[in-house]
Amino acid sequence: MNSNAQHPSPPFRSLSPAVIRASTVVFDSRADFAQRKDCQPDGYSYGITGTPTARELERRVARLEGGAHCIVTPSGQSALMMTLMGFVRGGDHLLVSAAGYGALKAFAQNWLAQFNVAVEFYPPAIGAEIEQYVKPNTRMICMESPGTVTMEMPDIPAIVEVAKRCGILTMADNTWASPLAFRPLEHGVDFSIEAATKFFGGHSDLLAGCISMNDAGHYATLRETQSVLGQQTSPDDCFLVMRGLETLKVRFDAQSASTLTIAEVLEQHTEVKRVLFPALASDPGYSIWRRDFSGSGCLFSLILRPVPEAAFNAFFDALEHFAIGASWGGVHSLVAWYPALLQASRAFARTDQPIIRLSIGLEDTQTLLADLLNGLEAFRRVRSQAA
């Protein structure tokens, strides 16, 4: 007698989700294969739209966002672009925040505009005044709250009210706040976009994006768009994002508290001209942040006193605990540089001075603060010599 029949293996259970890799999905019959597209948007027809690993991540993110549906994509930028490609067509008018993600603005200007989409930037700290920019063919309004690098705060509920009344779709890049501090869908936004690369993953070792929504028709359209554009996300990366979600709240709370402490100290420093951070009472966007948001994340920017560029070199060279890099939201602190020329050339520019952007990680708060103060002292010395 077969010993396995006498002692069948017990069912396997784990705290970790399974990583299921697949390109080809197989079917039980010719009829099932012929109708494979009917499995979408939730089922499986080919690996390009994901495996059960991706679906599990999508369910978890949708719950976190307070949404009915989610689609995971290979990066935050792909989530932004896929949303546009799913709904914007030639002859449409597209409104994009002037402080939006640079790659999104480049895609709109350099690609969509070539397909007869009228692309227009609007002031980042706008509210109901968005109606002045609306045209009969406006299809979508792209928001980011706060704006990338310069941290302007739009009044999202006021913008949504105008959009709903005019029949315009809205999407919001919510990566800065995460759904822990702000849920765009609960404020009437059609598409909430997250760069899962950042807070969700949390460890600077993956690329992923998420699009969350409530409308079933929009969900079906974007699943088809995912298939057509080939926007599959690695099951291994989906697993890593789910692992990151397990510690999201702990990391977010700790990083937010540390960030606010550091920003408050730097705001008083003589070498700091301005701190761009909506969670500070001195920030022009503070009243909107306080009304709509329950947290402040880990990202803010600095404008230092006007000096020769060598002083900024001294600041960066003096830092020991901040790596120089463009991303953020991970456990390691980062610093990034955005030159004056880039700021001055932007539509509705907030400043014509260079900007230093800081992402505060999980290192000791006082250690990070001491590092930044040491950098500012190096900055001051060079500035004084040049005066």
Side-chain angles (χ1 to χ4, degrees), residues 47-356:
I48 206 70
T49 57
T51 71
T53 308
R55 292 294 178 275
E56 178 60 25
L57 173 58
E58 289 168 347
R59 284 190 289 270
R60 295 187 188 191
V61 172
R63 286 196 300 268
L64 194 59
E65 295 271 9
H69 312 285
C70 174
I71 291 178
V72 62
T73 73
S75 68
Q77 171 62 1
S78 71
L80 293 167
M81 292 195 305
M82 205 166 89
T83 306
L84 291 179
M85 292 298 286
F87 298 96
V88 177
R89 299 291 181 267
D92 287 341
H93 176 239
L94 177 67
L95 286 170
V96 181
S97 169
Y101 185 51
L104 171 68
K105 293 189 291 184
F107 177 66
Q109 279 186 304
N110 301 335
W111 273 266
L112 291 183
Q114 303 304 314
F115 297 132
N116 196 34
V117 174
V119 177
E120 185 175 0
F121 296 131
Y122 64 83
I126 206 167
E129 315 85 63
I130 193 75
E131 192 159 8
Q132 302 170 16
Y133 293 84
V134 169
K135 298 179 179 180
N137 61 332
T138 302
R139 178 61 170 157
M140 184 178 288
I141 300 172
C142 302
M143 301 174 284
E144 183 163 357
S145 185
T148 297
V149 182
T150 44
M151 302 288 154
E152 298 95 335
M153 288 291 290
D155 188 336
I156 287 183
I159 294 172
V160 168
E161 191 280 325
V162 172
K164 295 290 187 187
R165 180 158 36 85
C166 298
I168 300 168
L169 294 172
T170 52
M171 78 168 179
D173 186 332
N174 191 53
T175 309
W176 180 85
S178 88
L180 297 181
F182 184 72
R183 289 181 167 185
L185 300 181
E186 293 181 355
H187 293 268
V189 175
D190 293 300
F191 307 102
S192 179
I193 311 296
E194 306 282 352
T197 306
K198 299 181 170 67
F199 269 136
F200 284 10
H203 293 80
S204 307
D205 56 5
L206 62 89
L207 290 169
C210 302
I211 312 168
S212 297
M213 70 220 81
N214 280 315
D215 186 275
H218 293 162
Y219 174 51
T221 295
L222 285 178
R223 186 67 80 193
E224 178 66 14
T225 305
Q226 179 187 39
S227 177
V228 170
L229 297 181
Q231 296 291 291
Q232 187 262 0
T233 308
S234 160
D236 299 88
D237 287 340
C238 290
F239 170 85
L240 289 174
V241 174
M242 283 189 275
R243 187 172 68 175
L245 289 178
E246 298 287 347
T247 60
L248 172 61
K249 188 178 188 308
V250 176
R251 290 184 286 104
F252 185 87
D253 289 347
Q255 288 174 258
S256 295
S258 184
T259 301
L260 185 57
T261 297
I262 291 171
E264 288 174 340
V265 173
L266 295 184
E267 185 180 30
Q268 305 303 318
H269 199 284
T270 56
E271 299 302 315
V272 176
K273 182 179 179 182
R274 196 173 181 185
V275 176
L276 308 179
F277 190 43
L280 291 177
S282 60
D283 192 276
Y286 176 75
S287 60
I288 292 175
W289 173 82
R290 186 175 182 183
R291 183 194 69 192
D292 295 338
F293 289 68
S294 61
S296 53
C298 71
L299 192 73
F300 69 98
S301 296
L302 302 175
I303 300 175
L304 303 185
R305 295 176 64 173
V307 292
E309 194 162 298
F312 289 96
N313 292 338
F315 173 83
F316 276 81
D317 290 345
L319 297 176
E320 296 180 357
H321 296 280
F322 283 80
I324 302 173
S327 192
W328 56 272
V331 298
H332 301 292
S333 294
L334 292 171
V335 59
W337 161 260
Y338 299 91
L341 184 61
L342 175 65
Q343 302 309 316
S345 64
R346 286 178 47 174
F348 310 107
R350 188 171 188 179
T351 181
D352 60 358
Q353 295 299 305
I355 288 179
I356 294 172

